[in-house]
Structure formats: structure tokens, C-alpha cells
Amino acid sequence: MSKYTKSARGKVCQMRLEGCLPGTETVVFAHLNGAGMGLKNEVNGFPFGFFCCMSCHDLYDRRKEAEPPYDPDFLDHTALRATICTQKIMIKEGVIKL
């Protein structure tokens, strides 16, 4: 388990979609989509992702649908916002060093 994955423990979900479980033990470090099925989106070992609860992760990865369904572009935009928020938290906590 990487330091990025470990850093998600006890954190608040940054995706915050309908049905979010914000401060639960289901929060993980979710990688941004786009690298390909089963691949992690990263550059030089630095992962691009965000703190995400199980409910939001299922919606983002399209394992379940909301009613009405979310627009895929909205989900991608929300994931990018969540990534920026997560990186700010990780910088503040020293997980990411600049």
C-alpha cells in the first residue's frame, strides 16, 4: 500500500456526490480515470487521484447509476476538483513534498 493510499484513511470524501458517505471508513484514494482498464493514472510514480467514499467511487467508475444519471463530463470535472482538493490536503500533511 502506497503512502498516497494510506493517506486516505480517516479522511473526508472530496467528490461529494448525491449519497456521499463523507467521513466514513469507506474513503479510499481513487485514481482518475483515463489510463485504461485496470491501469492507474500516474506520472513518474506520482498518482493522480482523490479521497473518495465507496458511494461516490461507484458512481465515478459507473458501477452504479444515480437517478437521474450524472453527465460523464460533470463526473470528470468533479473528479478533477476533488483531485486538487486532495492534493492540497496531502501537501499540508506532508504526504506530498514540493
Side-chain angles (χ1 to χ4, degrees):
M1 186 180 294
S2 77
K3 65 181 179 179
Y4 306 110
T5 308
K6 288 179 186 174
S7 71
R9 286 190 187 141
K11 297 299 188 299
V12 173
C13 177
Q14 298 300 304
M15 194 83 167
R16 301 181 193 129
L17 299 172
E18 183 76 27
C20 181
L21 308 167
T24 68
E25 293 180 14
T26 70
V27 174
V28 297
F29 185 81
H31 290 80
L32 284 176
N33 293 336
M37 182 67 101
L39 300 173
K40 305 300 183 195
N41 207 338
E42 57 183 51
V43 174
N44 296 328
F46 181 81
F48 292 103
F50 50 95
F51 300 147
C52 190
C53 74
M54 178 182 64
S55 179
C56 292
H57 201 181
D58 285 345
L59 290 167
Y60 178 61
D61 282 346
R62 278 71 163 193
R63 289 188 291 260
K64 71 177 184 180
E65 284 289 329
E67 283 298 324
Y70 284 108
D71 177 71
D73 288 337
F74 172 79
L75 289 173
D76 289 340
H77 173 81
T78 303
L80 289 172
R81 182 199 46 79
T83 298
I84 292 167
C85 293
T86 297
Q87 288 179 350
K88 286 179 180 179
I89 293 167
M90 291 182 0
I91 290 167
K92 184 177 179 181
E93 294 179 350
V95 176
I96 297 175
K97 295 186 180 10
L98 300 178

